[in-house]
Amino acid sequence: MRFWSLVGVVTLLTAGETLAFKAHDFKTCSQSGFCRRGRALSARAKEAKSSWVSPYSVEPSSVSISANQAVFSAAVKSSLYPEINFGLEVRIHDDGVARVRMDEVGGLRKRYDEAASWALIAEPTISKDVKWTTGKKDTRAVYGQKKEIEVVVQHQPLRISLLRNGKEQIVLNGEGLLHMEHFRNKVEATTTEQPEPVEGEGAEGEESSEKAEEQVVLKAENPRAWFEGDTEDALFEETFSSWTDSKPKGPESLSIDIDFPNHGVVYGIPQHATRLALPSTTGKDPTFDDPYRLYNSDVFEYLASSPVSLYGSIPLMHAHSTESTVAVFHVVGSDTWIDVSHESDKSTQTHWISESGILDTFLLPGPTAEDVFKQYTRLTGTSVMPAHWSLGYHQCRWNYVSSEDVRTVQQRFDEEDMPVDVFWLDIEYAEDHKYFMWKDKNFPDPVEMTNDVAANVIVDPHLKRNDDYPAFKQASDLGILVKPPSGQGEYEGWCWPGSSSWTDFFNPASWDWWINIFKPNAVEGRWTWTKSTTDIHIWNDMNEPSVFNGPEISMPRDNIHYGGWEHRDVHNINGMLFSNLTYQAVAARTDPPQRPFVLTRAFYAGSQRFGAMWTGDNLGTWEHMAVGIKMVLANNLGGFSFAGSDVGGFFGNPEPEMLVRWYQVGAFAPFFRAHAHIDTKRREPFLLDEPYKGIVKNILRLRYTLLSVWYTAFRETSVTGMPILRPQFIMFPKDKAGFTIDDQYYIGSSGLLVKPVTEKGAIDAKVYLAEDQVYYDYLTNFAYRGSSKGKEITVPAALHQLPLFLRGGSILATRERPRRASSLMHHDPFTLKVALSQAGTARGELYLDDGVSYDHTKGYFIWREFSAAKSGKKGVRITSKDLGKTKPAEAVDGVSLASYDPSNKFVQSVADVRVEKVVVLGLAGKPSSVKVEGQNEELVWEYVPGVAASEKKDGNASVLVIKDPRVLVKDDWAIVIQ
Ligand code: NOJ
């Protein structure tokens, strides 16, 4: 059965019928007017070759540099339309990022210019250290510590470039594809009659009639045809399938080429089901025919390899070479298509075509990936520090049908000793899909049940149009629903509940209303969600928004939002506002607030501040399993690390082998949740037969032993912006062979390297080691030796064997006691796994806090550094040091710590947590003594000889196990191995 047959809007398919991606539901570039125009522009430029010159240029006399040397501004003209004015502004931020903005000035209407205000956390500070100079041909800014960066605005034709040490890194309009379609009134091509004023704009008077005449005359001569083509293509109205887009504002698209000379690979612009290093869509040997598209969409049964848009959009693209990483952040909220071409392996050309919006593009100079992430997250914020429990395992299905059902499932997990932190209730918990309203018959005791089993629920953005439904009634009374194209009344479309309307979260009047609904205690005079608790967390789905009977399964683009903006202007941002407000609502239930968990399907740049995402409705196939890893990696590169895919695949009934592999994939994603479509067979892990059940139980347990590793990685990303999952190019930026590897990755700074197996019947796997370093098999302690030239090793990978390695030089803090939920682990002791490097050293970090409150922003946490260094001739000294004390100024969740007290409240609450075991891998020989420094007593230890870290060979590593060294996690100490 097709999934939305439940709402009765589409034909039913009978069981067994093949389901497939419905390509005809979504536009290709050639079916989208502005994309067609943009691509045609680029085709004409290609054909014209060197005779192609951009019509846009800076008016030299207008160039002005602000008094503090901070801002360049100038008037820009297009030779095609001398009467139209554009304004250009370039600002250099204090971290070296250059922001380029261009807008039409004094036009017939205003272009949407608010995308950045939703994406950015603050207005960036402008550098005081920039010197702009204007010459005959250009105006340039020089800056950087060694004055190594230059931003050059060439006047004619307009071309903006960012250079490092004289080498171009990013170039805007180098190919002359910049085109900001100015606002115009509709003119009938065959007459010279005065045009009808556009609705709502009033008469334009003489001036516009002059323009109209001019346009028609010019049309006859067609002097602009070399640039714009000789036919008007879908400027004022457009039809797709059975929908007509009225386009009252006419054409307003924005085309710009962004090239990365000297950078052969590009990554990012999630979300697409494709390789991490983005394959070409145009030019030489394109992999895809269509450009990558960013238009948040509910794509049924999406393909595992395709440039089509999916549920979220982050217009951030990284470009990488052995010399540097740079990025562009192109802040547009409208439908955007991006062509990528690699004419040589040394440079990349891209072409961005958006339906509306101003040019607002940030050039991130890097030059390292670390710098780029810092620069990007200074703009849009870092990933939120999650509630600790949310890093555990989430069990979900559409649907657990009753309180009894959920309780039974939870009980079965307990009986099997399988850890799980939370159960999710999908849409069927809600009466008639009216979110917040429990189906009383099935869920008679929602508060007790959610308390008993830690159940969380879905809340979608569509509101059933029914006056008995308080959420709808209130929103309707407040006038905060999205409006139809007329701008009057309420837009009505179809979703799960049938006839529905959508809250317009761009309307500030909706904010308090939404926040108040989630309060379990009644708010005077208002209906609120009293049948809930402050422990219920929320899943936001369908927020692209998905509209079953709308164009491209979404809202008509000419719908009207707050401020009179059309849906087309804000489409990609819309879903983020929903999860933003839900995040605020969940936090506001308690005073002081507790960390919310909000899962979202649609997202935009900045969504990382509000929770986690998942990759939507994947299929239970090996291809989807594999591409899911790449998608999660791409999301990490997009600054949104808290990501995962439905374990098991949403559609289909995976065979046990596939399900096991999928658990291995999921356990190594930041967000770990199993989910399944309503038509699938139950597949909770306890239902598996042996040996599958036992293997999955071990995977779940492995995830839980590593929770502190994940949590420490989250802390790092929340401070530095570095992604949690790190592909090869980030770890080894100079190793070309690693640039296209996207099926193995490192976890934070932990030194863990994982290569999930996504092939049926695999018994071994190939893993790429980019350095001359020892890598220890995490489960067997077998030592593999990499090579500085890059080396592929083959490792055992039968179903129970997951290729997981600890890089020599790392120290991992794990909690090895099997528990049923993360909440039971807070006082568990730690095991330290010290993986000695070839040089005999190692280092690692452990970050802990209460995991629920915001007290960590007050400095209530433990942050330790563990190090191992050589001591004496063959000895090793392992130390524990307080990092909170040494680095107090680092911001956590955006809050800088003025001071840090090593005996803070949290430290006291875990004062008794000890290190119960230290395992040292790769020692050169059997020690003669192991002691805590300053104490005479010999510790209890065992040594199994094996390969030393310094030896250039593979084999079982030597293992020293120190039992109960009697040291506490909160203390400074040293263990000396002689
Ligand atoms: C679509 C979501 O992607 C899926 O996860 C969910 O189960 C269904 N909507 C029903 O809510």
Side-chain angles (χ1 to χ4, degrees):
M1 183 167 61
R2 189 169 171 161
F3 75 113
W4 43 355
S5 61
L6 288 176
V7 292
V9 290
V10 210
T11 18
L12 287 176
L13 297 180
T14 51
E17 234 175 311
T18 11
L19 301 163
F21 166 55
K22 303 280 182 288
H24 58 259
D25 279 342
F26 300 94
K27 291 181 183 176
T28 58
C29 176
S30 63
Q31 291 168 320
S32 155
F34 75 92
C35 187
R36 221 163 38 226
R37 298 200 294 276
R39 260 199 160 181
L41 180 72
S42 142
R44 284 190 290 277
K46 277 207 183 85
E47 210 177 306
K49 294 193 183 124
S50 59
S51 68
W52 183 267
V53 181
S54 168
Y56 289 85
S57 56
V58 165
E59 298 249 283
S61 61
S62 71
V63 170
S64 116
I65 307 295
S66 65
N68 56 1
Q69 280 279 314
V71 184
F72 159 97
S73 55
V76 166
K77 288 273 188 191
S78 158
S79 59
L80 303 183
Y81 297 98
E83 72 284 12
I84 304 295
N85 298 308
F86 300 95
L88 174 70
E89 199 187 81
V90 183
R91 298 160 173 249
I92 313 294
H93 301 166
D94 59 3
D95 59 356
V97 168
R99 181 178 192 178
V100 179
R101 276 163 68 95
M102 189 172 118
D103 194 0
E104 191 182 340
V105 180
L108 281 180
R109 297 178 187 81
K110 198 169 147 37
R111 300 177 78 92
Y112 184 69
D113 64 354
E114 292 171 17
S117 69
W118 299 112
L120 266 50
I121 43 172
E123 192 54 42
T125 23
I126 305 290
S127 171
K128 293 194 184 84
D129 194 24
V130 175
K131 187 146 175 46
W132 286 96
T133 43
T134 301
K136 269 200 182 131
K137 293 191 177 146
D138 58 41
T139 304
R140 50 182 72 209
V142 180
Y143 60 96
Q145 267 184 355
K146 298 185 188 142
K147 303 283 168 240
E148 72 282 17
I149 310 182
E150 260 180 301
V151 169
V152 181
V153 183
Q154 177 185 290
H155 298 163
Q156 192 173 12
L158 172 62
R159 179 183 193 273
I160 301 171
S161 51
L162 184 139
L163 297 84
R164 173 178 297 279
N165 297 324
K167 229 174 168 180
E168 286 193 322
Q169 310 284 306
I170 308 172
V171 179
L172 305 188
N173 201 32
E175 294 173 58
L177 305 183
L178 169 66
H179 192 25
M180 185 174 269
E181 291 178 331
H182 64 276
F183 288 113
R184 61 201 82 187
N185 284 326
K186 190 172 178 179
V187 179
E188 298 309 324
T190 49
T191 84
T192 51
E193 273 170 29
Q194 187 170 332
E196 287 291 313
V198 170
E199 197 179 331
E201 288 297 323
E204 294 300 328
E206 260 174 70
E207 197 193 313
S208 85
S209 97
E210 267 169 34
K211 266 187 206 160
E213 278 180 28
E214 175 197 46
Q215 200 168 343
V216 174
V217 176
L218 286 175
K219 248 185 171 168
E221 297 163 5
N222 219 357
R224 297 162 183 157
W226 68 271
F227 190 74
E228 290 192 314
D230 49 16
T231 47
E232 281 196 350
D233 182 7
L235 300 188
F236 289 92
E237 198 179 88
E238 181 163 349
T239 299
F240 172 66
S241 195
S242 58
W243 291 276
T244 298
D245 176 0
S246 68
K247 295 218 230 170
K249 291 188 283 172
E252 53 170 321
S253 80
L254 171 68
S255 148
I256 177 101
D257 56 276
I258 304 179
D259 289 353
F260 303 97
N262 310 307
H263 294 83
V265 255
V266 288
Y267 307 98
I269 53 165
Q271 183 182 38
H272 301 99
T274 185
R275 303 205 293 270
L276 193 64
L278 294 167
S280 297
T281 59
T282 182
K284 217 169 61 180
D285 305 327
T287 301
F288 300 120
D289 293 336
D290 249 21
Y292 296 99
R293 187 180 185 197
L294 294 177
Y295 188 67
N296 294 356
S297 306
D298 181 0
V299 181
F300 181 69
E301 302 220 323
Y302 61 82
L303 299 175
S305 170
S306 156
V308 302
S309 54
L310 293 173
Y311 310 91
S313 301
I314 302 180
L316 172 73
M317 182 183 272
H318 306 252
H320 182 71
S321 73
T322 50
E323 281 171 32
S324 62
T325 313
V326 295
V328 292
F329 175 37
H330 185 65
V331 196
V332 179
S334 65
D335 190 4
T336 297
W337 301 77
I338 306 155
D339 263 322
V340 171
S341 87
H342 301 280
E343 289 309 317
S344 78
D345 63 354
K346 294 205 174 56
S347 72
T348 308
Q349 296 75 39
T350 69
H351 180 201
W352 303 59
I353 312 163
S354 304
E355 184 170 24
S356 72
I358 63 162
L359 175 74
D360 195 357
T361 304
F362 295 78
L363 314 183
L364 281 50
T368 64
E370 282 86 344
D371 295 324
V372 164
F373 289 113
K374 206 178 276 166
Q375 290 154 6
Y376 178 67
T377 50
R378 270 192 86 192
L379 293 170
T380 65
T382 55
S383 275
V384 68
M385 193 62 206
H388 184 266
W389 62 262
S390 66
L391 303 185
Y393 171 63
H394 301 232
Q395 180 64 48
C396 187
R397 101 164 254 113
W398 179 18
N399 224 98
Y400 293 117
V401 294
S402 64
S403 289
E404 201 194 331
D405 188 8
V406 197
R407 285 194 159 100
T408 310
V409 174
Q410 141 113 79
Q411 202 186 332
R412 291 291 295 120
F413 269 91
D414 279 358
E415 282 164 10
E416 298 284 350
D417 257 339
M418 287 181 169
V420 56
D421 260 78
V422 63
F423 298 87
W424 283 99
L425 294 176
D426 208 324
I427 52 175
E428 312 308 333
Y429 82 88
E431 190 68 51
D432 292 337
H433 300 136
K434 294 186 284 197
Y435 308 104
F436 310 112
M437 317 300 283
W438 295 91
K439 246 178 216 164
D440 290 335
K441 211 172 105 231
N442 300 11
F443 296 93
D445 56 347
V447 169
E448 293 76 13
M449 182 272 293
T450 49
N451 276 338
D452 289 353
V453 300
N456 291 337
V457 307
I458 198 167
V459 173
D460 285 356
H462 42 259
L463 299 173
K464 185 176 175 72
R465 291 183 59 82
N466 185 330
D467 281 350
D468 295 343
Y469 179 27
F472 167 73
K473 180 78 172 72
Q474 289 181 351
S476 177
D477 290 348
L478 286 167
I480 53 173
L481 295 169
V482 176
K483 298 183 167 48
S486 66
Q488 305 301 318
E490 293 161 358
Y491 166 68
E492 182 192 342
W494 277 75
C495 208
W496 300 124
S499 173
S500 307
S501 285
W502 280 258
T503 309
D504 180 10
F505 285 101
F506 289 89
N507 187 341
S510 69
W511 300 348
D512 274 352
W513 166 73
W514 188 251
I515 289 170
N516 276 327
I517 288 186
F518 286 77
K519 304 236 164 95
N521 303 321
V523 174
E524 215 184 288
R526 271 206 190 166
W527 164 83
T528 68
W529 193 19
T530 45
K531 285 190 181 173
S532 72
T533 75
T534 54
D535 289 328
I536 298 183
H537 294 264
I538 302 296
W539 168 16
N540 284 164
D541 186 18
M542 314 295 275
N543 49 336
E544 295 72 30
S546 177
V547 181
F548 294 156
N549 62 343
E552 300 194 87
I553 324 293
S554 192
M555 238 177 221
R557 290 161 194 247
D558 42 8
N559 269 4
I560 302 295
H561 287 265
Y562 179 74
W565 296 112
E566 285 184 281
H567 184 69
R568 88 183 73 247
D569 300 316
V570 298
H571 175 87
N572 286 342
I573 307 168
N574 186 69
M576 175 168 79
L577 290 202
F578 185 48
S579 62
N580 175 344
L581 264 300
T582 304
Y583 177 82
Q584 294 187 43
V586 176
R589 295 178 309 194
T590 51
D591 183 17
Q594 302 279 298
R595 282 182 231 176
F597 177 80
V598 176
L599 176 65
T600 182
R601 194 170 71 173
F603 55 89
Y604 186 65
S607 286
Q608 69 271 15
R609 308 193 295 264
F610 314 116
M613 59 75 69
W614 91 109
T615 61
D617 298 346
N618 55 1
L619 274 63
T621 66
W622 294 97
E623 292 75 21
H624 269 262
M625 190 192 301
V627 81
I629 294 172
K630 302 172 207 301
M631 291 166 74
V632 170
L633 282 176
N635 243 78
N636 274 252
L637 298 186
F640 198 172
S641 285
F642 204 176
S645 300
D646 282 350
V647 167
F650 180 64
F651 294 110
N653 294 303
E655 75 263 22
E657 180 192 352
M658 183 189 279
L659 195 54
V660 169
R661 289 304 192 190
W662 220 309
Y663 270 94
Q664 293 173 346
V665 169
F668 286 89
F671 175 58
F672 180 21
R673 183 184 77 153
H675 183 38
H677 184 272
I678 197 165
D679 289 342
T680 59
K681 294 191 194 129
R682 293 263 170 149
R683 51 160 110 124
E684 290 67 28
F686 50 77
L687 294 172
L688 286 164
D689 291 330
E690 294 297 355
Y692 308 105
K693 183 159 76 176
I695 299 175
V696 171
K697 179 163 150 178
N698 287 339
I699 300 164
L700 292 170
R701 287 185 167 184
L702 181 58
R703 169 76 178 202
Y704 278 72
T705 63
L706 293 171
L707 280 184
S708 303
V709 174
W710 286 104
Y711 200 61
T712 303
F714 265 94
R715 189 222 165 252
E716 189 187 346
T717 192
S718 80
V719 173
T720 67
M722 274 298 277
I724 291 182
L725 303 191
R726 300 181 188 167
Q728 290 291 130
F729 87 91
I730 293 185
M731 302 296 293
F732 304 98
K734 293 197 179 303
D735 177 32
K736 250 185 141 173
F739 292 178
T740 52
I741 294 180
D742 55 10
D743 54 2
Q744 63 176 56
Y745 54 86
Y746 291 79
I747 297 171
S749 299
S750 69
L752 279 177
L753 166 66
V754 63
K755 160 102 184 211
V757 174
T758 57
E759 271 159 40
K760 187 176 168 61
I763 51 162
D764 54 28
K766 293 199 179 347
V767 179
Y768 178 75
L769 301 181
E771 59 181 335
D772 181 11
Q773 185 54 273
V774 50
Y775 278 72
Y776 302 91
D777 184 310
Y778 188 79
L779 300 172
T780 66
N781 297 331
F782 190 90
Y784 294 92
R785 176 77 46 182
S787 155
S788 55
K789 292 193 195 93
K791 183 173 157 189
E792 198 172 67
I793 57 167
T794 302
V795 301
L799 199 53
H800 64 288
Q801 292 164 314
L802 169 72
L804 176 65
F805 305 89
L806 191 53
R807 183 187 189 191
S810 321
I811 301 182
L812 216 57
T814 63
R815 282 176 149 151
E816 301 289 331
R817 308 207 168 173
R819 297 287 186 192
R820 288 178 188 167
S822 67
S823 54
L824 304 170
M825 299 175 75
H826 293 310
H827 291 274
D828 280 356
F830 281 90
T831 291
L832 297 185
K833 205 160 192 184
V834 180
L836 291 177
S837 70
Q838 227 187 121
T841 57
R843 135 170 234 292
E845 291 184 16
L846 170 66
Y847 173 82
L848 296 170
D849 61 25
D850 71 16
V852 286
S853 77
Y854 287 89
D855 278 359
H856 60 299
T857 61
K858 296 184 204 148
Y860 297 166
F861 56 78
I862 282 189
W863 183 21
R864 308 297 305 181
E865 177 184 58
F866 304 111
S867 314
K870 283 192 166 172
S871 156
K873 252 196 170 160
K874 60 177 190 88
V876 173
R877 184 167 176 266
I878 301 167
T879 54
S880 169
K881 178 174 126 188
D882 187 350
L883 275 184
K885 210 163 55 187
T886 48
K887 295 189 184 174
E890 277 199 12
V892 181
D893 274 0
V895 181
S896 290
L897 297 171
S899 63
Y900 163 84
D901 174 6
S903 60
N904 65 67
K905 204 167 84 181
F906 176 71
V907 173
Q908 288 169 29
S909 76
V910 289
D912 57 340
V913 173
R914 60 199 176 92
V915 175
E916 67 172 345
K917 202 201 280 183
V918 179
V919 180
V920 186
L921 302 176
L923 274 179
K926 184 172 180 178
S928 51
S929 106
V930 180
K931 289 181 181 166
V932 173
E933 200 168 69
Q935 295 179 10
N936 285 330
E937 213 178 317
E938 186 69 15
L939 294 174
V940 180
W941 52 271
E942 260 173 29
Y943 178 78
V944 180
V947 171
S950 55
E951 278 180 273
K952 298 244 175 221
K953 65 174 193 196
D954 293 355
N956 288 321
S958 72
V959 183
L960 170 72
V961 178
I962 307 168
K963 290 179 193 158
D964 193 12
R966 295 190 298 275
V967 288
L968 296 175
V969 165
K970 71 172 178 57
D971 289 340
D972 289 355
W973 45 257
I975 294 173
V976 182
I977 303 165
Q978 292 291 345

